[in-house]
Amino acid sequence: MKRFTPLFIMAMLFFLAGCENNATVYHQYRTVSPQGWEREDTLSFVLPDSTFTEHCYQLEIGLRHTENYAYRDLWIAIIRPHSVPPACDTLHLELADRKGKWHGEGNSSTLYQFHAPAGKITLSHTDTLVQLVHLMASPCLKGITDAGIRLSLTGSVDTQKDK
């Protein structure tokens, strides 16, 4: 019996490694124009209909930026134009501390990746579109390369979040 114990333990570890609890149901980024993110440039995320209806999700905003971004924060609007009534939330993202040290992951003079929770949302059957618009005073933001959203099931552990 001792002969089969290591084999049994290896088989169980292999089986458990395949049992991930992936709570992410939608995760997409949109590329911003290399000339900059114009105020009228709306980044749109089309959600697959029917799979998302009547569920509560944790919404997370992701940004990729370079050191060329001139501000330490970013104000954005999260718009759901097909909601009844249409929904619009404002989110303030602090990308750097007061001394200019960037939050998120990245290296000096390269691309930084920043994630921020945006709260919980419940999607109805009409919610098929989520849009992001910047609300900064400057009409064109240079240094933002991509912006994205992630929808995760609430109350779950997401093993894919940091991959």
Side-chain angles (χ1 to χ4, degrees), residues 59-96:
L59 175 64
E60 181 181 273
I61 302 299
L63 290 173
R64 295 179 185 137
H65 66 90
T66 67
E67 285 195 347
N68 293 334
Y69 184 65
Y71 307 98
R72 56 181 218 107
D73 65 346
L74 174 67
W75 286 90
I76 61 170
I78 304 165
I79 305 165
R80 292 185 290 145
H82 299 161
S83 288
V84 181
C88 181
D89 293 311
T90 303
L91 186 63
H92 180 227
L93 304 173
E94 187 176 304
L95 303 177

Side-chain angles (χ1 to χ4, degrees), residues 46 56 79 140 148:
V46 178
C56 183
I79 305 165
C140 183

Side-chain angles (χ1 to χ4, degrees), residues 25-163:
V25 295
Y26 182 86
H27 186 207
Q28 289 289 317
Y29 275 86
R30 295 289 178 254
T31 302
V32 174
S33 169
Q35 285 74 37
W37 188 3
E38 300 281 344
R39 190 176 299 126
E40 57 275 349
D41 291 343
T42 302
L43 304 177
S44 297
F45 302 88
V46 178
L47 304 176
D49 44 36
S50 76
T51 57
F52 291 95
T53 61
E54 308 303 326
H55 291 291
C56 183
Y57 298 98
Q58 177 65 44
L59 175 64
E60 181 181 273
I61 302 299
L63 290 173
R64 295 179 185 137
H65 66 90
T66 67
E67 285 195 347
N68 293 334
Y69 184 65
Y71 307 98
R72 56 181 218 107
D73 65 346
L74 174 67
W75 286 90
I76 61 170
I78 304 165
I79 305 165
R80 292 185 290 145
H82 299 161
S83 288
V84 181
C88 181
D89 293 311
T90 303
L91 186 63
H92 180 227
L93 304 173
E94 187 176 304
L95 303 177
D97 63 18
R98 292 183 191 268
K99 295 181 180 180
K101 183 177 186 258
W102 295 110
H103 299 304
E105 301 168 358
N107 296 322
S108 162
S109 73
T110 61
L111 190 67
Y112 290 86
Q113 187 149 333
F114 176 84
H115 302 279
K120 293 181 181 178
I121 61 170
T122 300
L123 299 177
S124 69
H125 66 282
T126 60
D127 283 320
T128 57
L129 185 65
V130 175
Q131 298 174 316
L132 300 180
V133 178
H134 86 77
L135 302 173
M136 300 292 282
S138 175
C140 183
L141 300 178
K142 301 208 183 277
I144 301 285
T145 62
D146 304 275
I149 66 169
R150 178 192 306 264
L151 293 173
S152 302
L153 296 172
T154 57
S156 299
V157 175
D158 190 353
T159 58
Q160 298 295 311
K161 183 175 180 181
D162 295 323
K163 289 187 179 177

